[in-house]
Amino acid sequence: EETGDYSSEFLENLQDDDVIDFDEDTKAEYEALPTADSFNKSEVNTVVAKIQEETAFGTSILVVLTLREIEQREEKHLKSLQDKLESFGDLESLYQTHSADRETSAMVDKLLKEIATCIDLKQSLPQLRSDAIDALNDAIDDGTVKALRTAIKTAKVAKLSGDDVETGGIWSLDLLRDAALELKNAESRKRVTEAQKDLVAKRNKCFIRTDPLGRDRYQTCFIHFDYDKSSRVWAERDYILRNGTPDKNEDAAVLFKTPESVSMGARDRDEDFVSSEDRDKPYGNSFLSFSRQEYHHTSELGTLAMHHWSCYTTDRSIRVLIKNLNSTNEKENALKEVLKETLEAMALASVSSDAPQNGVLLNGGSAEGVGQDKKSLPQEETKFRTSGDSDAFSGLKGNLSEDDAALMKGVTSAIGRRIRLRRIPNPERAPDVAQYIMGTITGWKTGILSNEEAVNKEEIDDDVSHRSPTPVPIWRMALDDGGELHITDNEIVEGLVRATKWTNQHPGYIERDAPFLSYRNNLGRFCGRQVDAPSSLTPLAFARQMLKKEQDLYMHLKSRTLENNWGGKCGSRNAWVASLKEYGHTFEAVRDGLLTLENAFFDLTGGFGTNGSSSHDVEAGEQTTESKLSGKDLLYHEVSRFDIELESLGNNVKGLWNNPDTRAIFREIISVCETVSILALGLDLICRNSQGYISRTKSSVVHQPASEQATSAVVGRRRAAMRPGAYSNFF
């Protein structure tokens, strides 16, 4: 401080308060700095706008000029070039006397070229600039990114912007500045729009799941959908399977069906679950019934079972349901409370939706306007009739095929009949996905089609403007989901036939473009290449999939074991791959290959170690024996098969299987199966357990700085090996 000389280290260690109080001059300069309160809102907005303009042009300094100022700049530049050329004197005498040196001659030639260029541009630029200004105005009005970029490029060609020599920045026309700012806004809007489209696309791929409200004593599931147009509570009931006629004393809530009428889809193959020699034995039948419980609680079905759906459409019916529920039953008491809350929420929603908003009705028009429209139309075209469509409907039945005409035999009127309408919501993006709507025909009339209805009817062509509209029959369809639709003659007959086939489960009737068929997951519809779809369930396709899965998992598993008896010099892996490539077209080869792969992964994951022990439970009164039960005995045992989990769950994953019983049951299932589908499920289970083991045994070593690695290398390795989930099982 006495000498006034400070080292760089001292200056770097100074804090803000030390710098302010360094001396009186510094403190005075700091106090003189402007604060946030010294700027008003207009000044801040001006500075922000200036920064946005400079950012749009990618420069730190932007000079905005008008067209007149640009022309004046060019005239001034041309005048300066001419004055500089006149300073050299008479050019003819200069060239004749050869008094000028080489540098002066080059400078004169450069000035002559620049002056000639300026004169040419002065003649051609006005038209180019006029066109560029018009393009900028049109692009700003259009507001799209493509139009703005094209207009800005045209403006730059017309010399409406350039480098500013005086400031070292860029000068630009004011209109070009506005276009550049609009381009930035358009690009921002485009990014937001693309993000919204991406979110909508992801949302459309998701399924809206609704949790059930509860269950009653008959295991009936009650559901209320949040997006239901009408406030209803749906009930999903399981059919009660009976081979004969139900008694009159049975409870009215029970629905009776035969097993054949409830079954849907392909049946399971019994040989995948129970071998042929065990199928007639008691334990075989017991296990077969156990495997079918996921379809129906009676275990009488080997296929998917249909459920009966019904709904409570009015508040009164829901209140009656709440009254009939038993409060002493725990499940029904909880359901009763949830139904009360749901009923109150639906009542509030209906009150808010029925109220008019700003004098406008919910159907989109005012009461006065609707009344005027109805008065201006004939009564026969505005009012639907509930009878009298026999002649119009009979004339449409002639277009049906023989089979469809047989279904419509005896039907003389469409009013009061059920209809199933088919619509394609998005014909451009998804032309193969249709939407099926159920409803009831409630009336008909003769009227003029609107433009939208005429397009659906395919009656509008190039000469539609030269033809007078012809009255056609129009039927009114009350939708089951609420609302109504007006359908034409080409849809009414097809919808009635479709509803009849769908309701009666007509043989051969399949809705191949139904929305639920587009659902895809790992265990459902084939999601690979289209050319591989016909052969996706063949043994050869499964062999290829098994080779791919083994290659993905083996690289991670071999680094987690000290004894590798599968790959490397052992040769087992190469022999397994060669056998699948040569005999992979046979089912027996791929089944044996899957069992071999399971044994290899079992060894790579360390087996059961020293803690592996049988975990099957024994019933009371039974005595344990030294001999372990086989996989077949465990699978057919009524107690052990409930307590064994094949998939490795939780954080305590120590190998491919939890215990020897789990592995024995898996190998028993795979060894007796007869279809590729069961093998695919087995491969997926092995991959999930292996991936769980890989995730659990990831190294937890934390890298230390280079200065500490040499001193703590041994200690760090020991600590890492002692941590749960590290390599403690192998060291």
Side-chain angles (χ1 to χ4, degrees):
E1 294 180 358
E2 296 177 358
T3 59
D5 296 334
Y6 301 99
S7 62
S8 58
E9 183 179 359
F10 174 77
L11 295 176
E12 291 177 357
N13 294 330
L14 289 177
Q15 303 295 330
D16 293 341
D17 296 337
D18 298 335
V19 175
I20 295 172
D21 299 334
F22 191 74
D23 54 20
E24 296 297 333
D25 295 338
T26 305
K27 187 174 182 179
E29 292 177 359
Y30 176 79
E31 294 177 352
L33 292 175
T35 61
D37 298 335
S38 60
F39 298 97
N40 54 29
K41 188 175 181 180
S42 60
E43 292 176 348
V44 174
N45 293 336
T46 303
V47 174
V48 171
K50 189 69 175 176
I51 294 174
Q52 291 177 351
E53 294 173 359
E54 294 171 351
T55 304
F57 281 87
T59 182
S60 58
I61 301 176
L62 178 65
V63 180
V64 182
L65 304 174
T66 61
L67 183 60
R68 179 58 184 166
E69 292 174 348
I70 294 175
E71 293 176 351
Q72 291 177 356
R73 277 197 168 199
E74 293 175 349
E75 292 176 358
K76 184 179 179 181
H77 178 63
L78 178 60
K79 184 68 170 58
S80 63
L81 293 177
Q82 292 175 351
D83 294 341
K84 192 173 183 179
L85 183 62
E86 291 177 357
S87 63
F88 289 99
D90 189 7
L91 299 181
E92 295 181 0
S93 60
L94 183 66
Y95 284 115
Q96 289 177 0
T97 58
H98 302 283
S99 59
D101 54 2
R102 182 177 298 177
E103 183 178 356
T104 303
S105 300
M107 188 178 299
V108 170
D109 294 339
K110 183 179 180 181
L111 288 173
L112 291 174
K113 291 180 180 179
E114 291 181 358
I115 292 173
T117 303
C118 291
I119 294 174
D120 295 340
L121 292 176
K122 188 176 181 180
Q123 295 177 356
S124 60
L125 282 180
Q127 183 63 33
L128 293 176
R129 287 175 173 174
S130 178
D131 298 340
I133 290 174
D134 294 339
L136 289 174
N137 288 321
D138 296 340
I140 292 175
D141 295 338
D142 184 82
T144 59
V145 176
K146 184 177 180 180
L148 288 169
R149 287 178 178 175
T150 304
I152 291 175
K153 185 177 180 180
T154 305
K156 290 181 178 180
V157 174
K159 304 294 183 182
L160 292 179
S161 67
D163 298 333
D164 192 6
V165 181
E166 298 178 359
T167 61
I170 296 177
W171 62 269
S172 173
L173 181 66
D174 51 0
L175 186 61
L176 180 57
R177 181 268 319 267
D178 298 339
L181 293 176
E182 184 65 25
L183 177 60
K184 287 293 182 181
N185 296 333
E187 291 176 348
S188 178
R189 292 194 300 269
K190 184 179 179 180
R191 288 193 295 269
V192 173
T193 304
E194 291 177 351
Q196 291 176 349
K197 290 181 179 179
D198 186 42
L199 288 176
V200 170
K202 292 180 179 178
R203 182 196 65 185
N204 294 336
K205 293 180 181 179
C206 300
F207 289 84
I208 301 175
R209 299 182 181 270
T210 302
D211 294 331
L213 301 178
R215 293 179 180 271
D216 63 358
R217 72 189 76 131
Y218 301 106
Q219 297 301 317
T220 302
C221 182
F222 294 89
I223 304 173
H224 173 66
F225 298 99
D226 296 335
Y227 297 96
D228 194 356
K229 297 180 181 179
S230 301
S231 298
R232 296 172 294 186
V233 174
W234 291 82
E236 181 187 11
R237 295 180 172 88
D238 288 336
Y239 287 105
I240 303 300
L241 303 182
R242 291 287 188 274
N243 294 324
T245 306
D247 298 334
K248 296 182 179 179
N249 297 328
E250 292 284 355
D251 198 318
V254 180
L255 302 177
F256 295 95
K257 285 283 186 178
T258 59
E260 293 76 12
S261 61
V262 175
S263 301
M264 58 181 295
R267 295 183 59 87
D268 286 340
R269 297 183 61 175
D270 296 340
E271 56 268 20
D272 280 334
F273 303 96
V274 181
S275 60
S276 58
E277 60 270 11
D278 297 330
R279 199 173 305 162
D280 297 333
K281 298 180 180 180
Y283 60 84
N285 293 329
S286 175
F287 178 73
L288 194 60
S289 300
F290 166 75
S291 63
R292 291 176 175 178
Q293 288 183 359
E294 60 176 336
Y295 299 133
H296 199 271
H297 64 276
T298 59
S299 303
E300 296 183 13
L301 299 179
T303 64
L304 295 176
M306 293 188 297
H307 291 183
H308 181 271
W309 284 83
S310 59
C311 65
Y312 298 85
T313 58
T314 61
D315 296 346
R316 181 182 178 184
S317 61
I318 299 177
R319 290 190 178 94
V320 173
L321 171 63
I322 296 174
K323 184 178 179 180
N324 293 332
L325 292 175
N326 188 4
S327 300
T328 59
N329 188 293
E330 183 179 356
K331 290 184 178 180
E332 292 197 358
N333 186 31
L335 175 62
K336 192 173 185 178
E337 297 298 329
V338 175
L339 284 175
K340 289 180 180 179
E341 297 176 0
T342 305
L343 185 61
E344 294 177 359
M346 291 189 301
L348 293 176
S350 61
V351 170
S352 60
S353 61
D354 293 340
Q357 302 174 358
N358 299 328
V360 180
L361 297 179
L362 292 178
N363 58 4
S366 61
E368 182 180 359
V370 173
Q372 292 176 356
D373 293 340
K374 288 187 177 181
K375 291 180 181 179
S376 61
L377 294 175
Q379 185 177 2
E380 62 178 2
E381 295 186 2
T382 59
K383 184 178 180 181
F384 282 89
R385 291 170 286 179
T386 58
S387 61
D389 66 332
S390 302
D391 297 337
F393 181 74
S394 300
L396 302 175
K397 295 167 61 177
N399 300 328
L400 296 175
S401 61
E402 295 182 0
D403 297 337
D404 294 344
L407 295 175
M408 291 289 101
K409 185 177 181 181
V411 180
T412 59
S413 175
I415 298 176
R417 298 192 64 86
R418 298 284 290 170
I419 183 172
R420 186 170 179 83
L421 196 62
R422 177 181 178 272
R423 294 288 176 88
I424 300 179
N426 195 344
E428 296 181 358
R429 294 181 178 270
D432 299 332
V433 178
Q435 180 183 7
Y436 291 87
I437 307 171
M438 289 297 296
T440 306
I441 303 298
T442 58
W444 83 291
K445 70 175 182 178
T446 302
I448 306 299
L449 289 177
S450 62
N451 290 335
E452 182 178 359
E453 293 172 339
V455 169
N456 294 332
K457 194 175 182 299
E458 301 179 354
E459 289 187 355
I460 291 183
D461 52 16
D462 298 336
D463 301 331
V464 69
S465 59
H466 303 287
R467 297 185 302 175
S468 59
T470 304
V472 295
I474 302 175
W475 279 266
R476 180 177 61 190
M477 172 183 174
L479 302 177
D480 291 350
D481 294 338
E484 63 181 28
L485 285 177
H486 297 170
I487 57 178
T488 55
D489 51 2
N490 65 326
E491 295 176 326
I492 183 69
V493 181
E494 296 177 359
L496 294 176
V497 173
R498 191 179 296 112
T500 303
K501 292 182 178 180
W502 184 78
T503 304
N504 300 329
Q505 298 183 5
H506 188 74
Y509 176 73
I510 301 176
E511 297 174 350
R512 302 186 181 277
D513 52 0
F516 72 90
L517 293 177
S518 299
Y519 176 73
R520 302 178 181 182
N521 58 7
N522 293 332
L523 300 179
R525 189 175 177 182
F526 177 73
C527 299
R529 296 187 304 173
Q530 185 176 2
V531 295
D532 297 336
S535 60
S536 59
L537 288 179
T538 59
L540 185 59
F542 176 74
R544 295 173 181 172
Q545 183 72 7
M546 189 160 46
L547 290 172
K548 180 180 178 182
K549 294 293 184 181
E550 188 273 342
Q551 184 179 6
D552 295 339
L553 295 173
Y554 173 68
M555 302 304 295
H556 300 281
L557 292 176
K558 72 175 184 179
S559 61
R560 286 167 166 77
T561 183
L562 296 177
E563 297 181 2
N564 186 357
N565 297 324
W566 176 242
K569 297 181 180 179
C570 179
S572 301
R573 184 168 182 255
N574 295 332
W576 178 77
V577 173
S579 64
L580 286 181
K581 289 183 178 180
E582 184 175 0
Y583 304 104
H585 59 279
T586 62
F587 177 80
E588 291 76 12
V590 294
R591 182 175 60 185
D592 295 341
L594 180 60
L595 294 174
T596 305
L597 178 64
E598 184 274 336
N599 187 65
F601 281 4
F602 175 73
D603 293 337
L604 290 174
T605 54
F608 295 116
T610 58
N611 297 326
S613 61
S614 179
S615 63
H616 59 270
D617 297 333
V618 182
E619 295 181 353
E622 293 182 351
Q623 296 180 355
T624 59
T625 59
E626 295 181 357
S627 61
K628 296 182 179 180
L629 295 179
S630 63
K632 181 178 179 180
D633 297 334
L634 290 170
L635 195 61
Y636 293 152
H637 198 278
E638 296 182 357
V639 178
S640 62
R641 66 189 179 200
F642 279 98
D643 299 335
I644 294 178
E645 178 64 45
L646 292 180
E647 186 173 1
S648 299
L649 303 175
N651 297 326
N652 192 19
V653 179
K654 298 181 179 180
L656 185 64
W657 305 108
N658 294 326
N659 49 66
D661 294 346
T662 304
R663 188 189 183 206
I665 287 180
F666 173 82
R667 295 186 68 88
E668 174 66 21
I669 293 174
I670 297 300
S671 60
V672 301
C673 71
E674 298 293 337
T675 59
V676 178
S677 302
I678 301 298
L679 296 181
L681 292 176
L683 176 62
D684 185 68
L685 178 62
I686 292 176
C687 294
R688 288 204 306 270
N689 290 352
S690 300
Q691 189 61 47
Y693 172 79
I694 292 171
S695 301
R696 181 57 180 164
T697 56
K698 286 183 179 179
S699 176
S700 57
V701 177
V702 180
H703 294 283
Q704 299 177 349
S707 60
E708 301 179 5
Q709 289 181 355
T711 58
S712 60
V714 178
V715 178
R717 291 170 185 168
R718 289 178 179 176
R719 289 178 178 175
M722 293 293 292
R723 292 179 182 176
Y727 299 109
S728 57
N729 294 334
F730 309 107
F731 293 97

